[in-house]
Amino acid sequence: AAASKALTAARVDATNLDAIIVALGNGDVTSPATACYVQEKLGAFGAVAFDIRAACAGFTVALDLAKDMVESGAKERVLVIGADLASRTKIDWRDRTTPAIFADGAGAADVGVSPSPERGFLSARLRADGRGKDVVVMPGGGSVAPFTAETLARGDQFVQMDGKGVWEWATRELPAVIRAAVAAAGLSMADVDLLVTHQASLRLLQVVMAELGLGDDKVHTTIERFGNTLSASLPITLDEAIERGKVKPGSVVVLAAIGAGMTWGAHVLRW
C-alpha cells in the first residue's frame, strides 16, 4: 500500500521501475526476498528486487543505494520501502519495555533523476560500528543460534535492547553525522528547513535537536502518535510532513536514522 501511494504521488507506473529495495527486519518468509512479493503485487516485473537488513537505519541505507544507482546511471527509477511488522516478529509480549515502544508500519519513496540540477540529493554520510552489535539484537534464528525449543523458550526470537546503550550511541552519533552531511553539502545548520529522523524516542529527538540548535519549527515527529515503526518511521514521518506543508520546493531537508549494528547515517536534500 505504501509503495502504491508513493508511485501515485510520483506519477510513475510500476512497470517503469528498474529496482525495488525493501528495508526490513523479518520478511514475509526467510527466503526469497520480500521485495519479490512486493514486485508481484505491484506488477513491476522488469525490476530487480531485493531486501536489505540494517534495522531502524534500513530506509536510510536503502535510500543511499537507490541514490547511487540513479547517480551512476545504472538505474533510472528505484522504489525504496521501509517496512516492519514488529507486533508479529520482534515483540515479546511478556516484556514490560519493548511492547510499549514498537509499532507496525510501512513507508516508501520513488527515487529518480532530478528535474533540476539544483534539486535532489546534496550529500550523504553513512556509518557503522560493529562494536555496538549487541546494543539491539535478535539473537535467535541465525547460524550461531538456530531455532530450537530452548532458544524459543528463552525468547531469543525477539528483540533485546540496551536502552541506555541506544541513548548513548544516538545522542553522540546522530548530531555528528548530521553535521557532517550538512557541511558536505556546503551548508550550515541555519540553512536546514526541516529535520526528519527515525522515530526512536521523543526525548532522544529533543536532545538531538538541542545539540544541533534546531527549534521545534525545524522538525516533524510522529512517534507520539504512531510509536517506533522501525525502518518505516522515517518515510512515514517525511510523508506526513509533506502532507502538512512543512516541505516545499526548495526546502533543505535532512533525513537521518540510527539502528542496530550500530548503523547510522544522514542525507541532505533540496526538495
Side-chain angles (χ1 to χ4, degrees):
S4 295
K5 182 179 178 181
L7 293 175
T8 298
R11 298 183 178 89
V12 172
D13 191 273
T15 57
N16 293 324
L17 291 173
D18 297 307
I20 300 171
I21 309 173
V22 178
L24 43 63
N26 293 58
D28 288 2
V29 294
T30 302
S31 180
T34 293
C36 292
Y37 288 77
V38 175
Q39 184 214 53
E40 181 187 25
K41 290 176 181 178
L42 294 176
F45 300 114
V48 63
F50 60 95
D51 297 346
I52 67 159
R53 295 175 62 187
C56 295
F59 185 82
T60 301
V61 175
L63 196 64
D64 204 60
L65 284 172
K67 174 185 73 70
D68 290 348
M69 285 178 174
V70 174
E71 286 182 346
S72 70
K75 308 294 181 189
E76 290 187 7
R77 304 217 75 95
V78 182
L79 181 66
V80 180
I81 303 169
D84 261 292
L85 284 170
S87 63
R88 298 185 194 176
T89 60
K90 288 185 171 66
I91 293 175
D92 184 348
W93 293 95
R94 300 166 297 183
D95 184 354
R96 286 273 185 188
T97 57
T98 54
I101 298 171
F102 296 116
D104 300 340
D110 173 66
V111 179
V113 178
S114 173
S116 165
E118 296 179 355
R119 298 173 62 189
F121 289 95
L122 302 180
S123 67
R125 290 292 184 271
L126 269 69
R127 304 281 187 267
D129 191 332
R131 289 172 292 185
K133 65 185 182 300
D134 296 322
V135 175
V136 185
V137 63
M138 294 172 65
S143 60
V144 173
F147 285 138
T148 63
E150 290 75 19
T151 60
L152 291 171
R154 283 200 306 266
D156 286 355
Q157 70 272 33
F158 300 122
V159 66
Q160 298 173 13
M161 182 172 65
D162 173 5
K164 181 181 178 181
V166 171
W167 180 275
E168 291 174 349
W169 278 88
T171 55
R172 180 180 68 246
E173 301 298 348
L174 269 181
V177 79
I178 290 169
R179 283 198 185 97
V182 170
L187 303 172
S188 69
M189 292 308 303
D191 297 313
V192 175
D193 294 304
L194 187 70
L195 170 66
V196 180
T197 71
H198 160 57
Q199 304 289 290
S201 151
L202 188 58
R203 177 63 185 140
L204 191 156
L205 295 179
Q206 290 169 341
V207 170
V208 170
M209 289 162 54
E211 175 67 23
L212 294 171
L214 296 176
D216 291 343
D217 61 323
K218 294 290 186 77
V219 72
H220 186 71
T221 62
T222 55
I223 188 169
E224 65 273 22
R225 286 167 289 120
F226 303 151
N228 179 350
T229 51
L230 301 117
S231 61
S233 73
L234 197 158
I236 286 173
T237 305
L238 174 61
D239 181 54
E240 187 176 270
I242 294 168
E243 289 183 344
R244 295 192 178 186
K246 292 187 175 182
V247 181
K248 301 177 177 64
S251 294
V252 173
V253 181
V254 177
L255 309 178
I258 187 167
M262 296 293 284
T263 308
W264 64 97
H267 291 89
V268 181
L269 303 90
R270 189 178 301 279
W271 205 257

